[in-house]
């Protein structure tokens, strides 16, 4: 049986230094690495293309990737030192970030060698790697599928006016875009309705645009459908929201790959004409994986068995 091509998650893999009250702990993190771990946990091969150092922190990242079955793009250990992200948690479990990092893109596999490219977060805007990410997305969009999560980090992205153009360039190259309402507020201001941005982004080129809105659920627009869909979140106790968006993205990519709506030029066309029934299983999987992640401290990669257990309790999620 032919081994399926991997998903390439392109972007930062770093060490999260989590600070809450008077406690401080270190964890392996980075949005694209978190997504890769969820994808492998759900049964699909994935690679991380990143930029860390050959130091103790870099060794932690390599061990973490190996433990989660995530392959590493050769050359990802080429940085002078491993990047750090300082996450300060408030009483509600939400995180504010400060960064000490550098970013370049290692030599990547040919687009034909991978099933799908996922990118976003710091990697898409921080130079010199940001331009290389854009080039990789442009190349992949010609032969396969691309997903993008802006995952805005104001401490690095500096200003909405400086970042908005790059964000929209990548939106135009992506088949699937997932963004939080907080990211949209930062990019376009409080007075711009979420629904308006979703409509404008669909006109740029994606087939599927999703906005996560925390307790208000998930807004979804398809290029093939007139109306917007709202997906309710899981009802669950929230420990913290670290990695929740990444878990949603990993579950979504996994589900769309399993539905044969990502992973090839042909799948790109199928997603373009897909209806709600076609994508609903992937949306429910993503909702479940995100809901399972917020029940734990830090990022977490749920398994198929955990997802199945949630579905068994609520058959409406099947």
């Amino acid at each position: 049986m032919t081994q399926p091509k991997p998903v390439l998650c392109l972007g930062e893999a770093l060490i999260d230094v989590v600070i809450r009250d008077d406690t401080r702990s270190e964890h392996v993190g980075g949005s694209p690495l978190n997504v890769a771990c969820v994808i492998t946990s759900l049964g699909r091969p994935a690679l991380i293309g990143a930029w860390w150092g050959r130091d103790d922190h870099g060794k932690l990242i390599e061990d973490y990737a190996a433990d989660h079955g995530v392959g590493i793009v050769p050359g990802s250990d080429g940085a002078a030192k491993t990047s750090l992200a300082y996450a300060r948690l408030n009483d509600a479990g939400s995180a504010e970030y400060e960064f000490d990092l550098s970013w370049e893109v290692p030599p990547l596999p040919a687009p034909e060698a991978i099933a799908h490219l996922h990118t976003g977060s710091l990697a898409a805007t921080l130079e010199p790697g940001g331009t290389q990410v854009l080039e990789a997305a442009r190349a992949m969009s010609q032969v396969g599928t691309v997903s993008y999560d802006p995952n805005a980090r104001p401490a690095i992205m500096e200003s909405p006016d400086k970042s908005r153009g790059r964000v929209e360039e990548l939106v135009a190259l992506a088949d699937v875009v997932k963004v939080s309402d907080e990211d949209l507020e930062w990019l376009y201001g409080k007075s711009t309705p979420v629904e308006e941005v979703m409509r404008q982004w669909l006109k740029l080129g994606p087939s599927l645009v999703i906005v996560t809105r925390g307790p208000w659920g998930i807004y979804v627009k398809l290029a093939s459908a007139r109306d917007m869909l709202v997906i309710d979140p899981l009802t669950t106790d929230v420990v913290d929201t670290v990695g929740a968006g990444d878990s949603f993205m990993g579950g979504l990519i996994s589900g769309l790959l399993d539905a044969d709506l990502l992973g090839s030029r042909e799948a790109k066309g199928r997603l373009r004409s897909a209806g709600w029934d076609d994508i609903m299983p992937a949306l429910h999987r993503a909702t479940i994986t995100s809901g399972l992640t917020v029940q734990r401290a830090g990022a977490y990669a749920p398994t198929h068995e955990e997802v199945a257990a949630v579905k068994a309790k609520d058959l409406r999620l099947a």
Side-chain angles (χ1 to χ4, degrees), residues 36-57:
C37 290
V38 175
I39 291 170
T40 57
S41 186
L42 294 171
R44 288 277 178 170
L47 300 171
I48 179 67
W51 193 243
W52 61 76
R54 297 178 184 178
D55 49 28
D56 290 344
H57 283 145

Side-chain angles (χ1 to χ4, degrees), residues 206-226:
S207 296
L208 175 60
V209 173
I210 296 172
V211 179
T212 56
R213 309 205 68 189
W216 296 280
I218 297 103
Y219 287 10
V220 188
K221 283 192 72 69
L222 269 174
S224 64
R226 175 187 178 277

Side-chain angles (χ1 to χ4, degrees), residues 107-119:
L108 298 176
E112 295 80 6
I114 61 175
H116 175 80
L117 173 67
H118 172 70
T119 193

Side-chain angles (χ1 to χ4, degrees), residues 184 192-200 211 213 219 221 228:
L184 291 184
T192 304
V194 165
E195 298 86 349
E196 179 180 330
V197 179
M198 295 176 76
R199 285 191 288 268
Q200 293 304 314
V211 179
R213 309 205 68 189
Y219 287 10
K221 283 192 72 69
M228 186 180 74

Side-chain angles (χ1 to χ4, degrees), residues 15-264:
I15 300 297
D16 283 323
V17 182
V18 179
I19 303 167
R20 188 168 198 168
D21 299 325
D22 295 326
T23 64
R24 171 182 169 130
S25 58
E26 293 187 350
H27 309 273
V28 174
S31 177
L33 178 57
N34 291 340
V35 173
C37 290
V38 175
I39 291 170
T40 57
S41 186
L42 294 171
R44 288 277 178 170
L47 300 171
I48 179 67
W51 193 243
W52 61 76
R54 297 178 184 178
D55 49 28
D56 290 344
H57 283 145
K59 182 65 164 55
L60 287 175
I61 293 172
E62 291 168 5
D63 290 346
Y64 186 87
D67 289 345
H68 287 81
V70 175
I72 295 171
V73 173
S76 292
D77 61 353
K81 64 176 183 177
T82 299
S83 297
L84 303 177
Y86 296 90
R88 300 181 185 275
L89 299 180
N90 60 25
D91 291 340
S94 298
E96 294 183 357
Y97 289 89
E98 298 176 7
F99 298 92
D100 175 15
L101 52 79
S102 63
W103 168 236
E104 295 183 31
V105 174
L108 298 176
E112 295 80 6
I114 61 175
H116 175 80
L117 173 67
H118 172 70
T119 193
S121 194
L122 306 175
T125 55
L126 183 65
E127 298 297 353
T131 298
Q132 297 168 303
V133 168
L134 181 66
E135 293 168 353
R138 183 174 290 117
M140 189 65 200
S141 70
Q142 300 303 308
V143 300
T145 53
V146 176
S147 56
Y148 173 54
D149 178 0
N151 203 8
R153 302 298 190 209
I156 293 296
M157 295 168 74
E158 297 183 17
S159 74
D161 289 342
K162 186 173 182 179
S163 302
R164 198 179 301 115
R166 171 58 55 81
V167 168
E168 291 178 352
E169 281 184 289
L170 283 159
V171 167
L173 293 171
D175 301 280
V176 176
V177 178
K178 190 277 293 180
V179 65
S180 72
D181 54 357
E182 292 177 343
D183 290 345
L184 291 184
E185 181 179 311
W186 183 76
L187 282 165
Y188 295 98
K190 292 183 178 181
S191 62
T192 304
V194 165
E195 298 86 349
E196 179 180 330
V197 179
M198 295 176 76
R199 285 191 288 268
Q200 293 304 314
W201 279 12
L202 271 181
K203 291 178 182 178
L204 294 177
S207 296
L208 175 60
V209 173
I210 296 172
V211 179
T212 56
R213 309 205 68 189
W216 296 280
I218 297 103
Y219 287 10
V220 188
K221 283 192 72 69
L222 269 174
S224 64
R226 175 187 178 277
D227 299 315
M228 186 180 74
L229 180 70
V230 178
I231 304 289
D232 287 334
L234 287 187
T235 301
T236 187
D237 294 327
V238 177
V239 175
D240 69 44
T241 62
V242 174
D246 302 330
S247 187
F248 183 96
M249 194 80 233
L252 179 68
I253 292 170
S254 163
L256 291 173
L257 284 167
D258 286 354
D260 210 13
L261 296 174
L262 291 179
S264 68

Side-chain angles (χ1 to χ4, degrees), residues 264-287:
S264 68
R265 191 172 183 83
E266 294 74 24
K268 179 192 289 282
R270 286 190 290 271
L271 180 62
R272 193 71 186 170
S273 59
W276 294 120
D277 288 346
D278 300 311
I279 68 164
M280 192 63 73
L283 291 170
H284 280 163
R285 182 182 295 183
T287 301

